[in-house]
């Protein structure tokens, strides 16, 4: 078997297989994310709970309880010590993942809080809401720093770039914008709001590109500095839900996404061709996460499924 590394000679694709199904939530699982150090996995649900799992043993370590409505998103701090959750109860909560205690509640949004992320330094939190604002918070004090009237419809995703200087936001209004994280100033509108709703966006690991999902069954990789779309990934189903996608960089370079046909899709990042469709969930796969160092994917299913599935590459 060839062992290439560079873009010109990628390693041969190794199929993923189902390893384990984690069933502990009572309603739809809305989000799943591995911690940055790879030791933990967190899942969030419309059942108002966050669950922290060991990513090695896949056993339940703790439940984080306190939100009074469903949770749509979660984010890990860079040191894997804290989790921030975004809830339909209009708040965000910062949790100590070790002690399972809520250390801060962030109040200010006037509608459902839908998306959240820490900056790489983990001193800032960015959130997006159905109130159409993007808000930047001081992670230590919980104090709001900037409230940005960012969009004309719900904000579906917010993400910092690798040095924390930029924030990308996407919205149901069809626009995708780049903001300065220190001032909250609009730096660039990458996609004008005249196309399909943007259901998810994030920076690439190297910070040069943004991955954008739209509710017309399409994922695109954009060079945001030139405003050019470079790659298009299709084959999955995505017309209704804000399904997250991820970059997998531990073996080959892949794009991974959930889908409304209850599958996880894996594409070759460069070649754009679908490599594998992972079947097993019994409802829409809303969220996927790739382990930071191992060839492992976690995926989350909506209300007809309620589970997290772990997939591993054959070695």
């Amino acid at each position: 078997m060839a062992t290439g590394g560079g873009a010109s000679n990628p390693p041969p694709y190794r199929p993923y297989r189902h390893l384990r199904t984690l069933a502990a939530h009572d309603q739809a699982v809305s989000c799943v994310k591995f911690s940055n150090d790879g030791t933990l996995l967190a899942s969030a649900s419309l059942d108002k709970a966050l669950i922290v799992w060991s990513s090695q043993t896949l056993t339940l370590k703790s439940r984080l309880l306190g939100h009074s409505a469903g949770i749509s998103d979660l984010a890990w701090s860079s040191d894997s010590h804290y989790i921030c959750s975004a809830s339909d109860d209009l708040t965000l909560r910062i949790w100590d993942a070790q002690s399972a205690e809520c250390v801060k509640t962030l109040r200010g949004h006037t509608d459902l809080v839908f998306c959240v992320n820490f900056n790489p330094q983990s001193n800032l939190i960015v959130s997006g809401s159905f109130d159409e604002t993007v808000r930047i918070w001081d992670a230590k004090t919980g104090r709001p720093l900037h409230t940005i009237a960012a969009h004309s419809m719900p904000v579906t995703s917010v993400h910092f770039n690798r040095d924390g200087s930029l924030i990308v936001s996407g919205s149901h209004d069809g626009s995708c914008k780049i903001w300065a994280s220190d001032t909250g100033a609009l730096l660039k509108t990458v996609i004008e709001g005249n196309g399909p709703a943007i259901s998810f966006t994030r920076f690439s690991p190297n910070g040069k590109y943004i991955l954008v999902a739209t509710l017309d069954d399409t994922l695109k990789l954009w060079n945001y500095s030139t405003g050019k779309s470079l790659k298009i990934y299709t084959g999955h189903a995505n017309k209704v839900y804000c399904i997250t996608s991820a970059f997998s960089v531990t073996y080959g370079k892949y794009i991974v996404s959930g889908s409304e046909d209850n599958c996880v899709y894996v594409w070759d990042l460069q070649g754009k061709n679908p490599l594998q469709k992972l079947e097993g969930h019994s409802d829409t796969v809303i969220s996927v996460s790739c382990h930071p160092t191992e060839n492992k994917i976690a995926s989350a299913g909506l209300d007809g499924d309620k589970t997290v599935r772990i997939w591993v590459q054959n070695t």
Side-chain angles (χ1 to χ4, degrees):
M1 192 178 268
T3 56
S8 58
N9 186 18
Y13 184 70
R14 288 180 184 161
Y16 279 86
R17 61 177 172 83
H18 174 245
L19 177 69
R20 193 83 57 84
T21 299
L22 310 180
H25 285 291
D26 299 327
Q27 291 184 51
V29 185
S30 53
C31 180
V32 64
K33 282 186 188 172
F34 285 106
S35 61
N36 293 295
D37 67 3
T39 62
L40 300 170
L41 175 72
S43 56
S45 170
L46 299 193
D47 67 9
K48 311 175 195 172
L50 290 149
I51 294 177
V52 179
W53 311 81
S54 161
S55 65
Q56 292 311 117
T57 62
L58 302 175
T59 51
L60 192 154
K61 289 178 71 77
S62 59
R63 283 178 194 266
L64 312 182
L65 302 172
H67 279 297
S68 59
I71 302 164
S72 285
D73 199 12
L74 74 93
W76 285 93
S77 63
S78 295
D79 65 1
S80 304
H81 195 101
Y82 297 99
I83 295 169
C84 189
S85 52
S87 172
D88 290 359
D89 67 12
L90 317 191
T91 72
L92 299 117
R93 283 177 176 246
I94 303 173
W95 310 81
D96 185 317
Q98 306 303 323
S99 68
E101 287 174 9
C102 176
V103 292
K104 284 274 181 305
T105 302
L106 313 184
R107 293 182 174 89
H109 280 294
T110 57
D111 206 334
L112 316 180
V113 192
F114 195 71
C115 48
V116 64
N117 262 304
F118 280 91
N119 67 340
Q121 299 83 358
S122 294
N123 62 321
L124 297 178
I125 288 167
V126 64
S127 59
S129 165
F130 274 49
D131 67 13
E132 303 170 6
T133 70
V134 168
R135 296 181 190 232
I136 303 170
W137 312 79
D138 183 313
K140 199 173 177 70
T141 64
R143 201 166 56 86
L145 300 174
H146 301 286
T147 299
I148 306 166
H151 292 280
S152 58
M153 286 178 77
V155 181
T156 55
S157 54
V158 284
H159 189 241
F160 285 95
N161 67 337
R162 64 183 293 181
D163 70 3
S165 61
L166 304 176
I167 292 165
V168 64
S169 67
S171 167
H172 274 296
D173 67 15
S175 71
C176 176
K177 300 178 180 182
I178 307 276
W179 311 89
S181 62
D182 55 350
T183 63
L186 177 64
L187 298 178
K188 187 169 192 127
T189 300
V190 183
I191 303 170
E192 301 284 349
N194 49 16
I198 292 176
S199 47
F200 181 72
T201 182
R202 60 161 300 154
F203 284 99
S204 60
N206 67 8
K208 292 180 184 172
Y209 310 105
I210 51 170
L211 186 63
V212 179
T214 42
L215 292 183
D216 58 354
D217 311 316
T218 307
L219 274 164
K220 287 184 183 175
L221 192 67
W222 292 77
N223 180 324
Y224 63 87
S225 52
T226 63
K228 295 265 195 313
S229 163
L230 304 174
K231 309 267 185 192
I232 301 177
Y233 309 92
T234 56
H236 64 305
N238 187 198
K239 284 188 165 64
V240 179
Y241 296 105
C242 291
I243 291 174
T244 69
S245 43
F247 290 87
S248 172
V249 294
T250 50
Y251 180 62
K253 288 192 167 55
Y254 310 128
I255 302 288
V256 182
S257 176
S259 175
E260 287 159 14
D261 65 0
N262 309 350
C263 297
V264 177
Y265 282 73
V266 183
W267 292 267
D268 174 46
L269 187 145
Q270 293 294 343
K272 303 171 291 189
N273 50 309
L275 296 170
Q276 196 179 2
K277 186 168 97 169
L278 307 179
E279 300 178 17
H281 281 287
S282 52
D283 202 346
T284 291
V285 179
I286 192 78
S287 176
V288 293
S289 179
C290 297
H291 192 280
T293 57
E294 298 168 28
N295 306 322
K296 189 184 280 183
I297 295 169
S299 57
L302 287 187
D303 217 39
D305 182 90
K306 302 183 184 69
T307 71
V308 172
R309 282 183 168 243
I310 307 296
W311 314 83
V312 291
Q313 266 182 330
N314 292 319
T315 49

